[in-house]
Amino acid sequence: MKNILIFIIITVFFSCAEENKPIKEPENSPQAESETISNKIQVLNFATFHMGKTSDANSTEFDENNKKNQQDAKRIAEMISKFKPTIICVEYPTEKDSILQKEYKKYLKDPSESVSWYGEIGLVAFPLAQMNGLKKIYGIDHKMSYNYRIAREIENEIDSITVNNYYENPFKNHPEIGVDRDSLNLLEKLKLMNHPRFLDFLIVVNADILAYAGTDGNFEGADEAAKYYQRNLRIYSNLNRIEMTKEDRVFILSGGSHTAFLREFIERSPKYEMVDTFQYLD
C-alpha cells in the first residue's frame, strides 16, 4: 500500500511539472521513429487557419492578396513538399469537385502566377500538388451547420459556472497557447496551431464545452456538439472513400478543429499512420 501511494505521488508530481513547462515542439522518440516503419498509409494531417474570407467564429488576420503573404505560403508548401505526398486532401466540399479540379487546372497552366483561390487551397495546396506532379486534388469537406452559441442562448441548468468561466478565459489552463496569433509570422502561427495542446484545445472550445450546457432534462449543448463530431466523422468518411494503396502518402490540409478531430480518428486507425508534422516545419 505504501509503495502504491508513493507511485501515485510521483506520477502526480511529474504530471503537474509537465503542465508548467513552456510549450515546445514535440520530440521524436526512438519508439515513435520505429512505429513509422509499418505497413500503414502515411498521413501528414496539417492544421491551418483560413487564409481568406471565412464564416468561422474565430478568424486570423491575413491578407491573402499580399505578395509577401503569398510568398510565405508558397514557402510552407515547399517545406511540406519534403513529405512527397501522392494524395492531397483539402477542406472543400466533395460535391463541388468539378469546381476544385477546374481551378487547379487553371493554376497548372501558369504556376508562376500566385493564386489565392479559396485561401489556403490556392496558396498552399495548389503549389504543393504542382511540385509533386499531381493531376488531382481531393475535397473531403462535408458542410453541416451547428449552433456553437447555444450555451449562451439557453438558461443553462447543467453547469453554467464551468461554461461561463471557460468562455471568460478559455486559455486559463493552457496559457502557453493563449498568444496573439496576429503577432506571429505565418510559420509561427502554423507551428502553434499544429501543436497537440492547441489541437486538444480546439476540440474542447468547438464541441466538448457544450456538454456542460443544457436546460432541465434536456441536452441542447451536447446535441449541438454531436453535430460537430458528426461533421468531422463525415469528413473522415470522405477521406476513406479515396482509393489508395500502402505506397500512397496522404497530405490533409484543413482548418485546425477538423485537423484535431481527424488526429483522433487517425491515431486509432487500422489503416493510417500519422507522421510528425514538425518534421516538415523546420
Side-chain angles (χ1 to χ4, degrees), residues 150-151 154 156 158-159 163 209-215 218-222:
I150 190 68
I154 62 174
N156 185 6
I158 294 181
D159 187 353
V163 173
I209 191 62
L210 297 181
Y212 296 85
T215 58
N218 297 300
F219 303 91
E220 292 92 343

Side-chain angles (χ1 to χ4, degrees), residues 126-220:
F126 281 4
L128 175 62
Q130 187 270 334
M131 291 173 196
N132 288 273
L134 304 186
K135 297 181 179 180
K136 178 181 176 66
I137 292 178
Y138 295 86
I140 60 173
D141 192 19
H142 180 86
K143 297 293 185 184
M144 286 184 68
S145 61
Y146 86 114
N147 187 3
Y148 56 87
R149 298 187 182 92
I150 190 68
R152 299 180 180 183
E153 296 177 356
I154 62 174
E155 186 177 349
N156 185 6
E157 297 181 277
I158 294 181
D159 187 353
S160 61
I161 294 176
T162 295
V163 173
N164 292 338
N165 287 342
Y166 184 81
Y167 283 138
E168 183 178 343
N169 186 3
F171 295 108
K172 180 179 179 180
N173 294 323
H174 297 291
E176 68 277 14
I177 62 175
V179 301
D180 179 10
R181 279 182 280 168
D182 291 337
S183 68
L184 306 176
N185 63 40
L186 181 57
L187 179 58
E188 291 169 339
K189 289 175 185 175
L190 295 176
K191 282 186 175 182
L192 173 65
M193 293 190 67
N194 281 279
H195 197 281
R197 289 187 184 176
F198 196 88
L199 295 174
D200 285 340
F201 161 75
L202 290 174
I203 292 179
V204 176
V205 75
N206 282 282
D208 291 0
I209 191 62
L210 297 181
Y212 296 85
T215 58
D216 186 27
N218 297 300
F219 303 91
E220 292 92 343

Side-chain angles (χ1 to χ4, degrees), residues 2 12 34-35 41 56 77 79 103 107 113 122 132 145 153 169 180 184 202 206 223 239 245 266 271 281:
K2 181 178 179 182
V12 171
S34 65
E35 288 174 352
I41 298 170
D56 284 4
M79 296 167 75
E103 292 296 330
Y107 173 81
E113 184 70 20
N132 288 273
S145 61
E153 296 177 356
N169 186 3
D180 179 10
L184 306 176
L202 290 174
N206 282 282
D223 289 346
L239 171 67
T245 69
I266 294 171
K271 179 178 180 179
L281 285 178

Side-chain angles (χ1 to χ4, degrees), residues 33-90:
E33 291 178 359
S34 65
E35 288 174 352
T36 60
I37 305 174
S38 72
N39 291 322
K40 292 185 177 182
I41 298 170
Q42 302 295 290
V43 178
L44 178 51
N45 183 36
F46 196 88
T48 182
F49 58 93
H50 294 303
M51 299 177 183
K53 294 181 181 179
T54 176
S55 59
D56 284 4
N58 299 303
S59 59
T60 298
E61 187 67 30
F62 187 86
D63 181 1
E64 70 270 27
N65 296 311
N66 178 277
K67 290 298 182 183
K68 183 180 184 308
N69 285 344
Q70 292 177 353
Q71 292 170 359
D72 289 346
K74 188 171 183 180
R75 278 195 284 271
I76 297 298
E78 291 170 349
M79 296 167 75
I80 297 170
S81 186
K82 294 182 292 183
F83 174 64
K84 301 185 184 305
T86 60
I87 293 174
I88 293 178
C89 302
V90 294

